[in-house]
Amino acid sequence: GDRYLFRQIQYFDVINGEPAAKDREINASVFRKKDNVFVRSILMTIKSESYVPYTNPSCTYDKLVTDRIVYSAEVILNPQLFSDPQGYYMVWERCCRNNIISNIVKPDETGQTFYIEFPPIRIGGVEFRNSSPQLFPPLSDYACVNRLYYVDFRGFDSDGDSLVYSLATPLNTSE
């Protein structure tokens, strides 16, 4: 029917992360792509939180402890509000990042933007079913200095959609 599951996964630095930055809920906003008109909000709450195991003992670092936090909400989407052929995007922003990050200028002042696009829920009056891809499992290792490092970024989409990865300048709440 018109019931959808929205989910956002975040990774949290247990050692260096500010405990108050672990949001109990997030309120994402949905906009129409063609004109950026606000459509509705979607409130997601924490559904699970789990430890990410690191499996490369030769490169382990005891100051690296990460939790995987899954936020989600089941919502009913009104077909009249979600029928625009150009589709929609959902966005949620938060400030800021851990102050120990060394490859970002002023990480404690640099926000994060989480963004996803999705198609209309009906096309030509007919229900359009589209699922999110199943991506690679969370990275549970990090590279050792002066050693080759490989990561499997393969994903699968049950609808047969193609998956394309690209590097882009990150969206930032302070811009």
Side-chain angles (χ1 to χ4, degrees):
D2 296 324
R3 183 178 273 307
Y4 293 85
L5 174 66
F6 286 87
R7 182 171 53 197
Q8 178 173 312
I9 301 170
Q10 291 183 21
Y11 294 92
F12 186 82
D13 180 346
V14 175
I15 302 293
N16 301 296
E18 174 62 45
K22 191 182 289 187
D23 300 292
R24 301 311 310 160
E25 60 186 26
I26 59 177
N27 196 17
S29 298
V30 178
F31 298 88
R32 201 168 44 219
K33 280 177 59 178
K34 77 174 177 186
D35 54 11
N36 300 314
V37 167
F38 174 78
V39 179
R40 69 166 289 178
S41 293
I42 296 176
L43 182 67
M44 291 181 265
T45 58
I46 293 178
K47 298 302 178 188
S48 68
E49 191 170 341
S50 57
Y51 170 75
V52 175
Y54 290 90
T55 58
N56 189 349
S58 65
C59 294
T60 57
Y61 178 61
D62 62 352
K63 301 287 185 214
L64 184 61
V65 179
T66 307
D67 279 348
R68 179 180 188 261
I69 305 170
V70 178
Y71 296 87
S72 70
E74 282 191 33
V75 297
I76 294 176
L77 299 182
N78 180 333
Q80 286 76 35
L81 290 177
F82 290 91
S83 61
D84 191 274
Q86 292 183 31
Y88 303 84
Y89 64 92
M90 182 167 69
V91 65
W92 179 69
E93 299 176 327
R94 86 162 331 279
C95 185
C96 290
R97 300 167 191 258
N98 297 350
N99 197 28
I100 67 157
I101 295 172
S102 61
N103 65 345
I104 297 175
V105 176
K106 297 182 181 178
D108 57 328
E109 296 177 19
T110 302
Q112 303 171 73
T113 302
F114 299 87
Y115 175 92
I116 188 169
E117 295 181 5
F118 59 96
I121 61 175
R122 299 236 189 323
I123 296 179
V126 177
E127 183 177 280
F128 178 70
R129 291 188 177 250
N130 191 33
S131 64
S132 296
Q134 299 298 311
L135 299 178
F136 51 89
L139 299 179
S140 58
D141 278 314
Y142 50 96
C144 296
V145 175
N146 298 321
R147 289 197 191 161
L148 292 176
Y149 180 67
Y150 298 94
V151 176
D152 183 357
F153 286 109
R154 285 181 290 182
F156 172 79
D157 190 273
S158 60
D159 301 348
D161 295 338
S162 64
L163 303 178
V164 177
Y165 301 94
S166 61
L167 296 177
T169 302
L171 299 173
N172 184 345
T173 57
S174 64
E175 292 180 2

